[in-house]
Every structure is written in structure tokens, then in C-alpha cells.
Amino acid sequence: MDLWFDLASNYSYLTLMRIDALAERAGVSVRWEPFLLGPMFEAFGWKSSPFVLQKEKGAYVWRDMERQAVKFGLPWKKPARFPQNTVLPIRVALSGHDAPWVRPFCRALSRANFAEDRDISSVETVREVLASLGLAADEVLARAQSAEERPRLRAQVQRAQALGIFGAPTVLVDGEMYWGNDRLEDALEAARGQDPLR
């Protein structure tokens, strides 16, 4: 199954921190597909996250995040900046493709955003996370921002749009969409051949 996520997405944070253990237990393989939600929102005519645009929805979501973080035993701190610009970290993640460091990198940046309230758009934060994983941070950053790699992000967003993705996290199982952290277990069941509609 394919996991589409943005490091700016609070519900993606919950999924990123849970999915590998759950997928391993279920015997399901997962492809991680980082992308940007911002262009999707712009296509809908939104200038920001719906959690920002609709005050009541935003108030609910932040309370819900507290509840969900406790439920899953995850650290949580409401970010002072929301949504954050994740162009740089998503470029870095895409440049790594399926390299073993990409998942810990994404989890670390998501945790930095939603548990530590750090600026994950900054080169310094991204460099620090890369270095903590034992990587040559400056080399990784240079490759991610190179002329050869830069088009990859636009292509990834276009792929998401072509698939009809409208939010994050979204899991696709044989073309069937499961949207939101609260549908992760359903997606895993479907990947194991237990989709109730098939």
C-alpha cells in the first residue's frame, strides 16, 4: 500500500509514528510517498489549511490532537507556526527515494514539528536531523536542491493530484483510498484482503 503524507500535516504525524509497527504486524509492505498539501489546497481556492481558515474546525482539531496523542502514547505540542513550509524537507525525502534513512528522517522532522515546536522549514533543522542520522548533511541538502532533483517535487504533487488525493495522510490500497489517520487500520485490513466492500 502507498502512504501519501506531508510533514506539515498534524494527522500525518500520528500516522508516520504508527504505521511501520502496525504494517509489520499485519505483514503489509508500505511505500512512503511524501508530497505537499499546499498546492492541493490552492487548487481548491484555499489560501491555507482548513484548520486555519475555519476557526471552529481548528479549535476542534487541536483538542482532538491532544486526545489522539494521549491515545497513541505520542508526545504532542501545538506548533506556533501552522502550517509550516515543508518544501525543503519534502525535497530531501524525495531525493532519498527508498533509502533506509528516509523514514527516520521524516519521523524526526514530524516529531520536531508537532512534539517540539521547531521550525522544520529551516536548513539548520533539516541539517541537524540529517546529521543525527549519521548522514553527510551538506551533501544530501545539495543533492536535494540540485537542478536534477528539483523537478521531482512538482512531479510528485502532480501524481497526487492525478490520483485524486485531497488531504493527508492518505493511504491507497489497490486504488482504494483511505483518508486520515483514523482510517489507517482499515487500510491495513484491506491490504490483507479484508476489505468489506470486495
Side-chain angles (χ1 to χ4, degrees):
M1 65 189 209
D2 299 330
L3 168 65
W4 289 80
F5 65 93
D6 186 349
L7 297 172
S9 158
N10 49 294
Y11 286 112
S12 288
Y13 163 61
L14 300 176
T15 293
L16 291 177
M17 304 308 284
R18 302 187 317 119
I19 192 167
D20 279 348
L22 291 175
E24 184 177 351
R25 201 173 311 138
V28 172
S29 63
V30 182
R31 283 182 297 269
W32 284 32
E33 299 284 359
F35 78 112
L36 294 178
L37 270 175
M40 319 300 252
F41 292 163
E42 288 173 14
F44 304 148
W46 303 344
K47 298 200 181 300
S48 186
S49 163
F51 304 157
V52 172
L53 297 175
Q54 188 180 354
K55 185 181 74 171
E56 294 81 5
K57 183 178 282 187
Y60 169 82
V61 161
W62 297 129
R63 187 63 173 162
D64 186 53
M65 283 300 299
E66 290 180 46
R67 195 167 32 240
Q68 297 301 306
V70 170
K71 175 182 176 180
F72 298 122
L74 296 172
W76 163 255
K77 184 175 184 181
K78 181 183 174 186
R81 298 164 293 274
F82 182 84
Q84 289 207 49
N85 180 331
T86 54
V87 169
L88 176 61
I90 296 295
R91 275 203 171 114
V92 169
L94 287 171
S95 75
H97 307 289
D98 296 321
W101 58 264
V102 170
R103 294 184 187 202
F105 169 80
C106 290
R107 282 192 295 266
L109 275 241
S110 194
R111 186 169 46 247
N113 190 359
F114 294 109
E116 301 164 7
D117 191 20
R118 297 177 61 194
D119 180 3
I120 67 169
S121 70
S122 75
V123 173
E124 292 75 19
T125 301
V126 174
R127 181 184 288 117
E128 181 184 318
V129 168
L130 289 168
S132 75
L133 296 171
L135 300 167
D138 288 335
E139 290 178 20
V140 173
L141 283 164
R143 184 175 68 247
Q145 298 177 91
S146 68
E148 295 76 23
E149 285 290 326
R150 289 178 75 86
R152 188 181 301 276
L153 179 55
R154 182 182 300 277
Q156 184 76 337
V157 170
Q158 290 171 342
R159 280 184 65 211
Q161 289 172 322
L163 289 166
I165 291 171
F166 54 84
T170 293
V171 175
L172 295 178
V173 181
D174 296 328
E176 191 74 23
M177 184 181 295
Y178 296 83
W179 171 51
N181 173 67
D182 56 342
R183 293 296 178 263
L184 176 56
E185 285 80 0
D186 292 345
L188 288 163
E189 288 295 299
R192 295 175 64 215
Q194 298 176 13
D195 183 342
L197 299 182
R198 292 186 180 184

